[in-house]
């Protein structure tokens, strides 16, 4: 009876929102009864925090908010057990740092090498993680044979590169950064080998070619300095608007988000929202936040604020599917090598201990902090994950997937904590009670309490929002 996640990561939005189920509207508790229920013990729920600290991971907490939390990983780190222990438990999405780029996968014309990328995919699969394919068409890490081709041969080379690589990884990657960093900072097109040969039309051609090779992969354009509103982000917005109007297959925009402490753009949320309003997914794809070395406690505190801001921005935009950090920790970050005198840009320090930014992200995701524990999210014998299934002006439907842990369960209790301007007006597939304000719901299993180990069921609910807050709620699951 349970609806498993299938091959999509928990952060993805359901395609049609059409998973209709028996809907049983429930009458809200009267104020008096609600007060009584509150008095006998539900009061603690209004400040409820999910997932005991010991079982908290970024992936588990993000998943409870309908998002993924990813990391970049390179092949050399796969033999470092400190790195793999963190990567494999804290994160549920992997982006290969270099292993799927053109200079690795097709170093000479027509001769392919997928071994490094395969190693990353295999690590991901062994650890229940999904993969962001990165990347297919980029001016950098492009072998010189491509840039030296006569312009008349670039299109064919690009198409066969895309077709061969996407076909190789068909069904194994969640998304592709099909075109990477196509713009200059002033919003003009970067005059790289592809643009020089084909004009801006290379972008549509690349997307169509990738879609033909793997129709199920989500296709992205990824860039930096587009996180806030500005000339570059406006240029990308105009491009994707035009691609959509031409029916070009594009599913998302990646906001790299290589920040400097204290400089997360104030317009990031609004900017993500305008792209999402075009019907696209948005994702934070390469998050880091650098500071001058040696790091000061003031900068580390600012970094914690910055990371939490990015998480808050993503949670506030329903089409923001997830956040990936670029690197697992400061020790493997690209920053010191690229920006002399700068570093400390990730959530883990040079000894892979969690930094204030880690705890700030845990708190922003609705967890309780406590510093880098491992293991699945949730307490007791079940976990809960949230997905929005439908949205309209003034409201939305949410769905929670309850999954049993490593042993069978016979009943479960899940909490859903909406914001102050949100009221849960209906629910289905469980026995619900609400707090007085109507924004915190406790859902107990009904006919769907018995779940085999690892099996799932879902319940749903409708939220009315009075202040334009469509943010995803933290959800929890416990067994008696
Ligand atoms: O530059 C940071 C990122 C910006 N967005 C696109 C990403 O793909 C990019 O990643 C970085 C990698 O993290 C680095 O590891 O891309 C760099 C190259 O543009 C990568 O650095 C290169 C070094 O520059 C080379 O010297 C080295 O041979 O990594 C290569 C492979 O280790």
């Amino acid at each position: 009876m349970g609806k498993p996640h299938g091959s999509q990561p928990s952060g993805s939005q359901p395609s049609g929102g059409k998973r209709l189920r028996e809907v049983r509207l429930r009458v809200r508790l009267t104020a008096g009864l609600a007060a009584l229920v509150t008095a006998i013990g539900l009061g603690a729920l209004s400040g409820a925090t999910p997932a005991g600290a010991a079982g908290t991971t970024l992936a588990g907490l993000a998943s409870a908010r309908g998002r993924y939390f990813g990391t970049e990983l390179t092949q050399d780190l796969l033999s470092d057990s400190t790195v793999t222990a963190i990567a494999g438990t804290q994160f549920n999405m992997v982006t290969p740092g270099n292993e799927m780029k053109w200079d690795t996968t097709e170093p000479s014309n027509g001769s392919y090498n997928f071994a490094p990328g395969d190693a990353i995919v295999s690590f991901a699969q062994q650890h229940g993680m999904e993969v962001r394919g990165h990347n297919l068409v980029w001016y950098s890490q492009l072998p010189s044979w491509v840039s030296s081709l006569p312009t008349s041969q670039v299109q064919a080379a690009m198409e066969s590169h895309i077709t061969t690589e996407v076909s190789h990884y068909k069904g194994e990657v969640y998304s592709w950064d099909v075109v990477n960093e196509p713009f200059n900072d002033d919003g003009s097109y970067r005059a790289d080998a592809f643009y020089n040969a084909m004009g801006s039309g290379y972008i549509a051609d690349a997307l169509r070619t990738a879609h033909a090779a793997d129709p199920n992969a989500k296709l992205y354009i990824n860039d930096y300095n587009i996180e806030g509103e500005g000339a570059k982000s406006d240029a990308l917005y105009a491009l994707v608007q035009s691609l959509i109007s031409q029916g070009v297959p594009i599913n998302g925009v990646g906001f790299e988000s290589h920040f400097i402490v204290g400089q997360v753009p104030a317009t990031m949320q609004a900017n993500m929202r305008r792209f999402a309003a075009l019907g696209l997914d948005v994702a934070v794809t390469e998050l880091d936040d650098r500071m001058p070395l040696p790091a000061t406690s003031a900068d580390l505190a600012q970094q914690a604020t910055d990371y939490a801001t990015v998480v808050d921005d993503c949670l506030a935009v329903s089409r923001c599917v997830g956040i990936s950090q670029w690197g697992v920790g400061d020790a493997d970050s690209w920053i010191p090598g690229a920006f002399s005198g700068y570093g400390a840009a990730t959530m883990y320090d040079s000894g892979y201990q969690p930094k204030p930014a880690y705890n700030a992200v845990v708190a922003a995701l609705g967890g309780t902090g406590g510093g880098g524990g491992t293991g699945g999210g949730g307490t007791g014998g079940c976990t809960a994950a949230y997905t929005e299934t439908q949205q309209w002006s003034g409201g939305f439907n949410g769905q929670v997937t309850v999954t049993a842990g490593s042993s069978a369960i016979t009943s479960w209790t899940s909490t859903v904590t909406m914001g102050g301007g949100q009221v849960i007006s209906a629910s289905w597939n469980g026995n619900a009670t609400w707090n007085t304000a109507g924004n915190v719901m406790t859902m107990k299993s009904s006919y769907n309490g018995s779940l085999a180990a690892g099996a799932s069921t879902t319940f749903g609910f409708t939220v009315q929002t009075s202040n334009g807050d469509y943010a995803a709620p933290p959800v929890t699951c416990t067994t008696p």
Side-chain angles (χ1 to χ4, degrees), residues 135 137-140 177-196 199-204 206-207 220-224 226 232 235-237 239-240 243 250 253-254 256:
N135 54 55
V137 180
W138 189 29
Y139 76 92
S140 178
D177 290 331
V178 177
V179 175
N180 205 46
E181 304 176 354
F183 289 107
N184 296 311
D185 279 351
D186 66 1
S188 59
Y189 282 104
R190 197 187 283 279
D192 60 13
F194 309 102
Y195 183 83
N196 289 340
S200 63
Y202 84 89
I203 296 172
L207 288 160
Y220 277 67
I221 298 175
N222 187 54
D223 214 329
Y224 63 91
I226 55 155
K232 191 172 186 177
L236 177 59
Y237 183 83
L239 168 66
V240 295
L243 292 170
I250 176 162
V253 167
E256 291 189 12

Side-chain angles (χ1 to χ4, degrees), residues 49-399:
T49 47
T56 297
T57 64
L58 300 174
L61 291 167
S63 160
R65 308 294 297 267
R67 309 295 194 276
Y68 62 76
F69 218 108
T71 186
E72 174 253 9
L73 199 57
T74 49
Q75 192 186 8
D76 55 304
L77 295 172
L78 296 178
S79 56
D80 182 328
S81 59
T82 306
V83 175
T84 56
I86 295 172
T89 52
Q90 288 289 329
F91 300 98
N92 57 355
M93 180 70 75
V94 177
T95 306
N98 293 302
E99 292 72 4
M100 292 187 182
K101 292 172 178 174
W102 198 319
D103 61 352
T104 296
T105 55
E106 194 187 3
S108 58
N109 197 345
S111 138
Y112 287 89
N113 172 24
F114 293 120
D118 291 354
I120 302 283
V121 170
S122 151
F123 176 84
Q125 290 173 348
Q126 284 160 22
H127 293 83
M129 309 163 87
E130 305 251 2
V131 177
R132 295 196 81 258
H134 175 83
N135 54 55
L136 296 169
V137 180
W138 189 29
Y139 76 92
S140 178
Q141 289 173 288
L142 183 68
S144 56
W145 70 263
V146 181
S147 23
S148 349
L149 285 174
T151 53
S152 62
Q153 294 175 25
V154 173
Q155 181 170 3
M158 183 189 82
E159 290 174 358
S160 45
H161 178 76
I162 293 171
T163 301
T164 307
E165 181 158 358
V166 174
S167 301
H168 178 82
Y169 290 111
K170 184 176 182 181
E172 297 190 305
V173 302
Y174 162 70
S175 63
W176 275 109
D177 290 331
V178 177
V179 175
N180 205 46
E181 304 176 354
F183 289 107
N184 296 311
D185 279 351
D186 66 1
S188 59
Y189 282 104
R190 197 187 283 279
D192 60 13
F194 309 102
Y195 183 83
N196 289 340
M198 292 171 264
S200 63
Y202 84 89
I203 296 172
D205 189 53
L207 288 160
R208 289 193 173 106
T209 307
H211 182 70
D214 185 354
N216 294 321
K218 306 259 186 209
L219 305 184
Y220 277 67
I221 298 175
N222 187 54
D223 214 329
Y224 63 91
N225 287 352
I226 55 155
E227 295 79 11
E229 290 167 356
K232 191 172 186 177
S233 147
D234 287 351
L236 177 59
Y237 183 83
L239 168 66
V240 295
Q241 217 175 14
S242 141
L243 292 170
I244 291 167
S245 72
Q246 295 167 62
V248 175
I250 176 162
N251 304 102
V253 167
F255 297 82
E256 291 189 12
S257 307
H258 295 291
F259 294 134
I260 299 170
V261 278
Q263 296 183 24
V264 176
T267 53
M268 184 163 178
Q269 185 185 130
N271 192 39
M272 289 199 295
R273 213 182 272 287
R274 72 171 171 155
F275 281 91
L278 294 175
L280 297 172
D281 287 346
V282 295
V284 175
T285 52
E286 304 183 10
L287 178 60
D288 50 31
D289 196 30
R290 62 186 180 268
M291 61 186 71
L293 295 175
T296 63
S297 54
D299 276 347
L300 292 169
Q302 181 63 49
Q303 182 181 58
T305 302
D306 291 352
Y307 263 81
T309 299
V310 173
V311 172
D312 289 344
D313 285 347
C314 180
L315 292 178
V317 178
S318 58
R319 294 297 297 259
C320 181
V321 294
I323 298 170
S324 298
Q325 175 170 270
W326 203 249
V328 175
D330 293 345
D332 58 272
S333 165
W334 72 296
I335 293 292
F339 298 92
S340 180
Y342 279 79
T346 78
M347 291 181 282
Y348 287 94
D349 71 17
S350 54
Y352 289 103
Q353 295 304 307
K355 293 159 62 180
Y358 175 90
N359 291 324
V361 167
V362 167
L365 289 170
T368 50
T374 57
T379 57
C382 58
T383 55
Y386 171 81
T387 314
E388 183 184 291
T389 55
Q390 212 181 351
Q391 186 181 121
W392 57 91
S393 179
F396 55 98
N397 282 337
Q399 176 173 285

